[in-house]
Amino acid sequence: MQKQLIECVPNFSEGRNLGVIKQITNVIESVDGVKLLDVDPGAATNRTVVTFVGEPNPVIEAAYLAIKKASELIDMKQHSGEHPRMGATDVCPLIPISGISMEETAEYANKLAERVGNDLSIPVYLYENAQKDKSRDNLAVIRAGEYEKMASKIESKKLLPDFGPHTMNFSSGCTAIGARDFLIAYNINLNTTSTRIANRVAFDVREAGRVKREGNPYVGKIVKDENGESVRIPGKLKNVKAIGWYIEEYKVAQISMNLTNFRKTPVHTAYEEVFNSCLERGVRVTGSELVGLIPLSAMLEAGRYFLKKQERSLGITEEEIIHIAVKSLGLDELAPFDLQL
């Protein structure tokens, strides 16, 4: 029988104090049967993405201990950063890797969420495949308004937590726990400091696109449909979420993307669309970075894509193909990356 393996990728609202991050990863590594794969802190976002893997029960035990430790060490009342956030442990997704279905993974997410809510008094929201109510399974909808608006959303009963208290935990904030497919977190750097330009590029490419406006496409009056809802112009890329922001540590604006289905929208396709949108706006892509892991297959596909564009033979080693992908995507400009086999 194939061993069941799930991956856990919690995002903690601390990216500057390496001592705090180390205390959190220490409790993860203290659990037998769990392997810590990656720790990726960001100073400008003030956020750290941690990746670990193992059999389901050890993984959810490690996740619980990490969420507990983060709640002890991170005070959301003092937190600020570029990335949207609502809690000390902002999100904690579980991803099926082998020998386990999405439905089973979602059950483990519910089990973890119930324990966190009950034992740690943290309001917990289920999202994506762990959430049965599809009107509230979108993380962006749950987190809208971020930490500063969560208390009023709970008090007004507009968005009650699935587990835990129906009151705000002002120290730890709220946490979203879910089950989802593998996601590639991918950022592209521009030769500008303008978040306005970066956001316009993000709106060009992300699936949600932008709201439609009368006259000026950026500041004109928003067009409404017969139900009073904003009309949207879809972006170019399916299964892509994107936002533009300024990264102080690099001194550049950046397009931050989540590729939620890299088989439908590969990383090289996302890069090319951002590259083309930038050219139309008089800016240039200067490099890119991965946050966390990327499947080996995604890098090989990217390398072969660029080799074909160069009209070169594909009959080279995998190492050489990956080298072409890294150079073509500009992944060696700022930060190292990890491949997930």
Side-chain angles (χ1 to χ4, degrees):
M1 183 176 177
Q2 188 179 20
K3 180 185 289 188
Q4 290 187 323
L5 289 176
I6 60 174
E7 183 181 68
C8 185
V9 190
N11 289 212
F12 301 103
S13 293
E14 176 56 68
R16 299 164 186 165
N17 188 326
L18 298 183
V20 168
I21 296 166
K22 181 61 176 172
Q23 289 184 67
I24 294 170
T25 58
N26 280 347
V27 300
I28 293 171
E29 291 189 291
S30 72
V31 178
D32 289 338
V34 168
K35 181 173 180 59
L36 183 66
L37 299 177
D38 189 68
V39 181
D40 197 330
T45 56
N46 201 9
R47 185 181 186 88
T48 296
V49 179
V50 175
T51 307
F52 57 94
V53 69
E55 293 187 67
N57 284 321
V59 164
I60 64 169
E61 174 65 18
Y64 172 80
L65 293 176
I67 294 169
K68 182 175 185 292
K69 181 60 69 173
S71 73
E72 296 168 355
L73 299 176
I74 299 171
D75 183 359
M76 288 303 297
K77 297 190 297 296
Q78 309 300 321
H79 184 273
S80 64
E82 292 292 331
H83 200 290
R85 79 287 182 267
M86 63 178 183
T89 303
D90 188 53
V91 295
C92 184
L94 303 180
I95 300 101
I97 298 298
S98 66
I100 188 169
S101 68
M102 182 63 76
E103 291 74 20
E104 291 172 300
T105 304
E107 290 177 11
Y108 281 106
N110 273 261
K111 184 176 179 181
L112 173 62
E114 183 175 16
R115 186 180 178 193
V116 169
N118 291 345
D119 293 1
L120 303 181
S121 296
I122 295 173
V124 179
Y125 294 91
L126 298 170
Y127 76 106
E128 293 209 16
N129 291 282
Q131 176 58 260
K132 294 180 180 178
D133 183 351
K134 295 309 169 187
S135 69
R136 51 182 285 164
D137 67 345
N138 189 319
L139 178 60
V141 172
I142 295 169
R143 197 166 54 192
E146 301 186 44
Y147 169 81
E148 288 78 10
K149 298 293 184 182
M150 294 307 297
S152 62
K153 288 165 70 173
I154 295 172
E155 290 170 7
S156 66
K157 299 185 179 179
K158 289 182 179 178
L159 193 69
L160 290 175
D162 292 290
F163 294 104
H166 287 184
T167 56
M168 182 64 169
N169 184 324
F170 287 97
S171 177
S172 300
C174 305
T175 294
I177 295 176
R180 61 162 172 79
D181 289 320
F182 189 86
L183 173 153
I184 297 176
Y186 180 53
N187 302 332
I188 296 180
N189 305 294
L190 313 181
N191 69 332
T192 180
T193 59
S194 171
T195 55
R196 175 178 55 83
I197 293 175
N199 265 311
R200 289 179 179 177
V201 173
F203 296 163
D204 286 347
V205 300
R206 69 183 188 181
E207 183 172 10
R210 54 165 52 83
V211 294
K212 186 175 182 179
R213 297 176 182 270
E214 296 177 2
N216 189 300
Y218 308 119
V219 297
K221 182 181 178 182
I222 295 175
V223 177
K224 304 282 188 177
D225 62 19
E226 61 273 14
N227 298 316
E229 299 294 327
S230 298
V231 176
R232 301 195 70 85
I233 302 171
K236 297 175 182 177
L237 300 175
K238 296 290 186 182
N239 307 110
V240 172
K241 300 177 181 180
I243 190 173
W245 56 33
Y246 174 72
I247 300 297
E248 176 65 33
E249 58 201 289
Y250 301 154
K251 306 294 184 186
V252 297
Q254 191 177 71
I255 313 299
S256 177
M257 294 183 286
N258 283 341
L259 311 184
T260 58
N261 188 332
F262 70 90
R263 294 174 181 86
K264 291 188 176 179
T265 298
V267 65
H268 57 271
T269 300
Y271 177 88
E272 292 281 69
E273 287 295 346
V274 169
F275 183 93
N276 292 333
S277 179
C278 285
L279 284 181
E280 293 172 6
R281 299 180 182 282
V283 294
R284 187 167 60 86
V285 169
T286 59
S288 66
E289 65 174 349
L290 292 160
V291 181
L293 307 182
I294 185 170
L296 174 62
S297 62
M299 288 297 289
L300 291 172
E301 186 180 0
R304 293 184 182 111
Y305 168 81
F306 288 112
L307 283 168
K308 288 178 182 177
K309 284 193 70 175
Q310 298 166 14
E311 298 183 351
R312 293 178 56 191
S313 169
L314 303 183
I316 58 177
T317 66
E318 286 192 352
E319 183 178 358
E320 291 174 303
I321 293 172
I322 291 169
H323 176 74
I324 292 296
V326 170
K327 300 302 292 185
S328 300
L329 296 169
L331 285 168
D332 55 348
E333 294 299 315
L334 290 174
F337 65 94
D338 295 289
L339 297 178
Q340 179 167 296
L341 301 178

